Amino acid sequence: MTSVQIPGEIAPAKATRREWVALGVIALPCLVYAMDLTVLNLALPAISTELRPTASQLLWIIDIYGFMVAGFLITMGTLGDKLGRRRLLLVGAAAFAAASIAAALATTAHTLIATRALLGIAGATLAPSTLSLISNMFRDERERRVAIGIWISSYSVGGAIGPLVGGVILQYFAWPAIFWAAVPVMLLLLALGPFLLPEYRDAKAGRLDLSSVALSLTAVLGGVFALKQAAEGHVSPPTWLAAALGVAAGVAFVRRQRRIDYPLLDLKLFDQPRLTAAICTYALTSFAMFGVYIFISQHLQLVLGLSPLVAGLCTVPWALSFVVGSMFTPALAQRWSAPRTMLAGLAMAAIGFAGMTLVDSSHGLFALVVGMTLMGIGMAPVFTLGNDIVISSAPPERAGAASALSETSAELSGALGIAVFGSLATGLYRSGMAGKLPAGLPAESAAETFTLGGALTVAEHLPEPLGEALRLAARAAFVDGLQAAALLGTGIMVFSGLLAWRMLRAPGARVQPSSS
């Protein structure tokens, strides 16, 4: 809720120009981090041609970065509280630059996988360090929300321009150039960070518990790996083993955190209804957003037949809507209060998801773009205010760990969303295709139509009447899956709103956040 100034209480100091310039400096590496999640996909054909990775190696080149980020977030958040948030950020920036250079110079698939893993570990320092530094630099609640909105926007812009920047780079340079592009930004942070960014560390921090680090890594990496394998349809014994290891390590991790004096994750934070509500809402929103996103690019290119460039441009309004929503959120929260702003955002996101169920109409592309835009505007307050609640609810000395908790919840719920929505799409698609395969389709061709891409490839090699019938059937089955995903997303947004309303109105939720 919006804080009320108590008579006699000293108001928090306003940020100066130095803090706002510093915010711009730390937003740049966040933008590069987000770009690195998307830009590589465009370079995969060139990488495949030059390095000749196996199918398994190609998947690891793509996935290892996100695996390492998710696995090390909690560790890096606590390490920043202990060693110093500015120090960890600068060390991470130097490591990111070095790993980017190494990736650009990679001559084998194994080397590129290893350097992408190092990039993920270095990237895990960025989110918790930058968000917790924002809590130090911006003491005033409204200014802090504006700063977090800019911080969120940097990720949105990075994700939006990643494919576009990557396309321009690859138009004129070879694939290593996509890694060289990150180096100047990190060097700029290293040059300006020591002068602009404040240092903060927990003077009473205990020893970093290495057993907790190992358990957290096993829990997160095992869980993310199992979820991604399930999303790709590879439910095999290794998948079940990874899932079992992840769950067992997670249970052991939680038990250990309750016993040790300086836990890697302070579970007492969850005693605060405001923080718990923010984490749950943030996680559910990420679950729905990542889950539906896997349909959008396929729908634009494989159903509507748009080129990759035009499809990328169609997703720009979605990314920009996050920027617009994040910028307006602080003013709305000041006027309506944070809980009401979040609830209004969730209602708008629900309308956006509902609008996406109209993708099979004559104005399907318009409905999809408008739905995505409303969804982005509505989710922006959840991301902005959710992160503000998390870092302001935690004690100042544990802000790094709290911000890492927020980002880890988003990473894990996003991976879970991809797995659940992907499984839903696969099931509905195959069910739909079972009764719509055109008569006369060869049996060996029918076995390759279990994905939309596979069906369209088969259709290219069939006589035109038969090929067109297969294309229509496959696209109709895929649209049915997209509509079901949009309907599920609508329900999740409604449920998130009810959950947030119930938790944020609890008596304990009215306690004012600690000064940070």
Side-chain angles (χ1 to χ4, degrees):
M1 297 182 66
T2 304
S3 59
V4 178
Q5 185 68 35
I6 300 175
E9 182 182 3
I10 300 176
K14 297 286 187 179
T16 65
R17 180 181 297 179
R18 174 176 176 174
E19 280 77 27
W20 291 109
V21 172
L23 176 63
V25 171
I26 63 177
L28 280 175
C30 296
L31 184 146
V32 170
Y33 160 84
M35 284 178 54
D36 252 44
L37 291 171
T38 58
V39 73
L40 182 70
N41 293 331
L42 291 175
L44 289 180
I47 292 174
S48 297
T49 300
E50 184 171 331
L51 301 186
R52 298 188 179 280
T54 65
S56 176
Q57 288 173 334
L58 194 61
L59 286 175
W60 278 110
I61 290 172
I62 299 169
D63 293 338
I64 193 66
Y65 180 79
F67 281 5
M68 291 296 105
V69 169
F72 278 90
L73 276 171
I74 292 178
T75 299
M76 293 304 180
T78 301
L79 198 59
D81 291 337
K82 177 178 174 62
L83 301 181
R85 294 162 189 168
R86 182 182 68 185
R87 176 185 295 179
L88 182 66
L89 177 61
L90 296 179
V91 169
F96 199 97
S100 296
I101 295 173
L105 299 176
T107 56
T108 67
H110 287 105
T111 304
L112 186 56
I113 292 171
T115 54
R116 286 276 293 171
L118 293 175
L119 277 170
I121 295 172
T125 66
L126 298 180
S129 296
T130 51
L131 185 56
S132 55
L133 279 171
I134 286 174
S135 72
N136 297 137
M137 294 190 296
F138 299 93
R139 306 282 183 170
D140 179 76
E141 182 181 63
R142 182 170 183 179
E143 288 186 339
R144 186 175 62 247
R145 288 173 176 171
V146 171
I148 293 175
I150 295 173
W151 181 79
I152 292 288
S153 298
S154 68
Y155 287 97
S156 302
V157 172
I161 69 174
L164 301 178
V165 171
V168 172
I169 290 176
L170 294 173
Q171 183 72 26
Y172 299 101
F173 302 99
W175 67 264
I178 64 173
F179 294 107
W180 286 109
V183 177
V185 175
M186 296 302 165
L187 293 180
L188 179 66
L189 175 58
L190 289 171
L192 300 180
F195 303 100
L196 293 175
L197 301 176
E199 183 59 286
Y200 187 96
R201 67 173 61 87
D202 181 7
K204 299 179 180 179
R207 180 179 60 86
L208 184 67
D209 185 55
L210 296 181
S211 296
S212 294
V213 171
L215 288 171
S216 71
L217 286 175
T218 304
V220 174
L221 294 179
V224 171
F225 175 79
L227 290 171
K228 289 184 74 68
Q229 289 292 101
E232 294 166 3
H234 305 311
V235 183
S236 59
T239 304
W240 288 109
L241 177 61
L245 283 174
V247 171
V251 172
F253 174 79
V254 170
R255 289 180 175 176
R256 185 168 182 81
Q257 302 317 290
R258 296 186 185 279
R259 295 198 312 265
I260 60 179
D261 294 331
Y262 188 73
L264 197 65
L265 176 62
D266 188 358
L267 298 179
K268 294 179 181 178
L269 293 174
F270 288 102
D271 293 340
Q272 303 182 57
R274 296 177 77 251
L275 183 140
T276 304
I279 291 291
C280 291
T281 307
Y282 191 18
L284 286 170
T285 305
S286 298
F287 174 85
M289 182 184 72
F290 281 95
V292 80
Y293 185 76
I294 63 175
F295 292 87
I296 292 173
S297 59
Q298 293 186 73
H299 182 81
L300 292 172
Q301 296 184 61
L302 301 181
V303 175
L304 300 182
L306 303 180
S307 68
L309 177 60
V310 175
L313 291 174
C314 288
T315 63
V316 169
W318 186 13
L320 294 181
S321 67
F322 271 97
V323 178
V324 173
S326 299
M327 293 298 96
F328 278 100
T329 291
L332 294 176
Q334 191 76 13
R335 182 180 180 88
W336 294 345
S337 82
R340 290 179 180 176
T341 304
M342 292 176 69
L343 292 175
L346 289 167
M348 180 172 288
I351 294 172
F353 273 106
M356 292 172 62
T357 62
L358 304 176
V359 290
D360 63 339
S361 67
S362 57
H363 302 290
L365 178 58
F366 178 77
L368 183 65
V369 173
V370 171
M372 288 191 300
T373 302
L374 291 176
M375 186 173 67
I377 293 175
M379 288 180 171
V382 177
F383 288 9
T384 302
L385 296 175
N387 278 293
D388 175 60
I389 289 172
V390 169
I391 63 172
S392 62
S393 297
E397 65 273 10
R398 298 311 302 266
S403 60
L405 172 63
S406 175
E407 292 305 302
T408 302
S409 70
E411 291 281 348
L412 290 178
S413 58
L416 181 60
I418 291 172
V420 172
F421 278 72
S423 299
L424 172 68
T426 300
L428 289 175
Y429 174 83
R430 292 182 177 180
S431 175
M433 287 296 288
K436 294 181 180 179
L437 288 176
L441 184 68
E444 62 274 12
S445 298
E448 300 177 13
T449 62
F450 289 138
T451 65
L452 176 59
L456 296 181
T457 300
V458 169
E460 292 177 0
H461 299 89
L462 295 176
E464 191 48 44
L466 191 59
E468 181 62 19
L470 179 58
R471 277 190 288 268
L472 290 175
R475 286 169 173 162
F478 182 85
V479 169
D480 289 342
L482 173 55
Q483 290 175 315
L487 193 61
L488 176 59
T490 304
I492 292 172
M493 291 301 98
V494 173
F495 175 76
S496 299
L498 294 174
L499 181 66
W501 175 76
R502 182 177 180 83
M503 297 181 73
L504 289 172
R505 68 192 288 268
R510 300 180 180 274
V511 177
Q512 295 302 320
S514 60
S515 176
S516 52

